[in-house]
């Protein structure tokens, strides 16, 4: 790892960089859960609860637009956000963040960034460089794609054929390249109790400055449910979310932007139900075919070791 990434790793696991000394990046992005979390929404400092499910960070380095609504365009832009978000690390402002980092990591920063030390720029670089080390090892699917016919079980091969064929999942969850997504925004499910509040929330958000809009996302569920709209203010984007990569999806339950779906089988049912296209209905797939889809998704597991170095293929589950 680069020296700045080693520094970033220490910061990533340091709970002292939070208002009450209990929350680190790794509280919500747990190495043993593919750097996601197993709660629908993970509480931050003082038990304050945000609005969205923490995504896996494995492969985040190759994601073009970040967060479920794409409101950040690079890791460097993003990584400082959690530190001052009241529902996450909850530190009051950026000067206080820098003071806290200086108090604990000044010598490391002086070594890695001589003459510059702890600044917003170097802090963002260290954290972003660490997140970039969380690059996925090849999944069974990728070994299959590269020509290893035995990498997938027969059920997984049937699931793959459905995924890219009749069930049309690959239209959005692309199977080429590393990112495994079309990078576009599509309708998510709006919980019935939120639906009546969306129009008023959209009107209110449209009058906010960009900074206030970003802050409202983790603070208010009805704003978070607006999805891509809070970035573009286009009515067509209300309730749209970035197609998530399904890499490691078998180990990152619960699912969807709000963590509202508990298991992988339920997520597949939900997607079949909502993404019906070209006349396909969920009932058109037999229970055995749906089970094959779930089996295929298991083949997308590709962890990194907690050190950030890719797992050897032999240690893959
Ligand atoms: C209290 C929980 C919590 C903490 C602490 C936290 N995060 Fe997150 N993280 C989230 C949630 C929730 C999201 C999704 C938010 C959204 O889309 O609006 C997220 C999203 C991200 C993403 C975008 C991933 C993607 O694919 O879009 C990155 C990168 C990230 N966090 C890095 C960090 C770093 C670095 C830290 C520490 C400085 C951190 N997070 C601390 C909960 C947390
Ligand atoms: C039109 C684009 C589109 C199609 C087609 C599509 N999806 Fe999705 N998928 C999405 C979006 C967008 C989300 C996020 C929705 C949300 O957060 O509310 C998602 C979420 C998911 C999730 C949850 C991932 C997570 O990390 O939370 C799974 C699993 C999933 N899709 C599987 C499938 C399967 C299986 C199919 C085929 C039956 C499919 N999808 C078809 C766009 C699509």
């Amino acid at each position: 790892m680069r020296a700045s990434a080693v520094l970033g790793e220490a910061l990533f696991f340091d709970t002292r960089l939070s208002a009450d000394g209990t929350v680190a990046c790794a509280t919500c992005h747990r190495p043993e859960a593919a750097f996601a979390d197993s709660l629908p929404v993970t509480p931050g400092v003082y038990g304050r609860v945000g609005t969205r499910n923490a995504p896996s960070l494995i492969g985040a380095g190759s994601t073009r637009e970040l967060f479920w609504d794409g409101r950040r365009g690079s890791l460097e832009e993003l990584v400082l956000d959690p530190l001052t978000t009241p529902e996450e690390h909850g530190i009051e402002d950026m000067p206080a963040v820098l003071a806290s980092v200086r108090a604990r990591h000044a010598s490391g920063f002086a070594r890695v960034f001589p003459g510059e030390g702890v600044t917003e720029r170097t802090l963002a670089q260290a954290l972003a460089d660490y997140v970039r080390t969380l690059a996925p090892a090849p999944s069974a699917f990728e070994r299959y794609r590269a020509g290893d016919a035995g990498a997938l079980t027969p059920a997984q091969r049937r699931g793959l054929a459905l995924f890219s064929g009749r069930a049309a999942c690959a239209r959005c969850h692309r199977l080429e390249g590393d990112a495994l997504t079309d990078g576009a925004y599509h309708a998510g499910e709006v919980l019935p109790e939120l639906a009546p509040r969306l129009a008023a929330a959209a009107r209110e958000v449209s009058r906010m400055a960009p900074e206030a809009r970003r802050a409202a996302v983790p603070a208010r569920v009805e704003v978070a449910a607006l999805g891509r709209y809070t970035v573009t203010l286009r009515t067509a984007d209300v309730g749209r979310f970035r197609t998530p990569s399904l890499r490691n999806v078998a180990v990152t339950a619960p699912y969807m932007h709000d963590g509202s779906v508990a298991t992988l089988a339920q997520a597949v049912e939900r997607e079949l139900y909502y993404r019906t296209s070209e006349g396909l209905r969920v009932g058109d797939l037999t229970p055995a075919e749906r089970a094959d889809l779930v089996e295929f998704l298991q083949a997308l597991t590709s962890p990194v070791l907690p050190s950030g170095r890719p797992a050897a293929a032999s240690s893959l589950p």
Side-chain angles (χ1 to χ4, degrees):
M1 269 204 263
R2 299 171 61 168
S4 56
V6 175
L7 198 54
E9 180 175 38
L11 300 166
F12 192 89
F13 290 92
D14 190 348
T15 54
R16 295 170 306 180
L17 302 180
S18 67
D20 67 357
T22 66
V23 171
C25 309
T27 303
C28 304
H29 302 286
R30 292 163 45 231
E32 59 277 26
F35 292 84
D37 192 31
S38 31
L39 292 172
V41 179
T42 313
V45 291
Y46 307 114
R48 290 179 197 148
V49 182
T51 55
R52 288 196 177 150
N53 183 244
S56 167
L57 300 188
I58 297 182
S62 53
T63 304
R64 227 168 1 99
E65 290 173 336
L66 294 145
F67 285 137
W68 284 98
D69 48 23
R71 67 186 182 278
R72 288 298 190 191
S74 73
L75 283 175
E76 276 79 358
E77 259 183 51
L78 180 149
V79 291
L80 300 183
D81 287 353
L83 296 166
T84 52
T85 297
E87 299 78 15
E88 296 180 342
H89 297 244
I91 302 176
E92 70 186 271
D93 56 18
M94 206 31 74
V97 168
L98 296 178
S100 172
V101 175
R102 261 183 217 115
R104 278 129 197 163
H105 300 275
S107 60
F109 273 81
R111 219 173 333 106
V112 178
F113 301 107
E116 198 173 352
V118 180
T119 63
E120 270 186 55
R121 192 196 74 78
T122 58
L123 177 58
Q125 192 189 324
L127 281 167
D129 281 346
Y130 173 63
V131 174
R132 272 188 288 268
T133 66
L134 306 176
S139 63
F141 163 68
E142 280 151 332
R143 282 180 276 130
Y144 177 82
R145 194 174 61 179
D148 175 0
L152 296 188
T153 66
Q156 288 172 336
R157 288 202 293 270
R158 290 194 301 271
L160 168 58
L162 284 166
F163 191 92
S164 44
R166 201 148 52 90
C169 314
R171 205 156 46 89
C172 303
H173 302 283
R174 293 278 165 78
L175 292 178
E176 312 89 52
D178 285 340
L180 302 186
T181 166
D182 60 358
Y185 299 83
H186 304 279
E189 188 186 8
V190 177
L191 296 179
E193 62 269 29
L194 282 178
R197 292 155 67 190
L198 290 192
R203 270 195 305 280
E204 192 186 339
V205 161
S206 69
R207 292 189 293 263
M208 291 179 181
E211 206 47 54
R213 266 187 259 150
R214 276 197 287 272
V217 170
R220 295 172 51 190
V221 280
E222 73 280 17
V223 174
L226 293 172
R228 184 69 178 158
Y229 175 83
T230 63
V231 179
T232 63
L233 300 182
R234 288 178 21 189
T235 312
D237 286 335
V238 170
R240 285 182 187 244
F241 295 89
R242 197 187 77 210
T243 308
S245 166
L246 298 186
R247 192 183 289 288
N248 290 308
V249 73
V251 294
T252 60
Y255 301 105
M256 308 302 164
H257 65 278
D258 54 3
S260 59
V261 176
T263 70
L264 190 54
Q266 285 164 355
V268 169
E269 290 294 310
R270 209 212 73 146
E271 288 293 277
L272 280 168
Y273 185 78
Y274 280 97
R275 313 276 172 213
T276 52
S277 61
E278 285 103 48
L280 180 81
R281 294 280 169 276
V282 60
D284 295 347
L285 267 70
T286 66
E289 287 173 326
R290 293 180 226 168
D292 288 344
L293 271 179
V294 175
E295 279 300 309
F296 167 64
L297 295 179
Q298 309 275 350
L300 296 177
T301 301
S302 57
V304 289
L305 294 174
S307 68
R309 279 175 273 269
S314 59
S315 65
L316 292 174

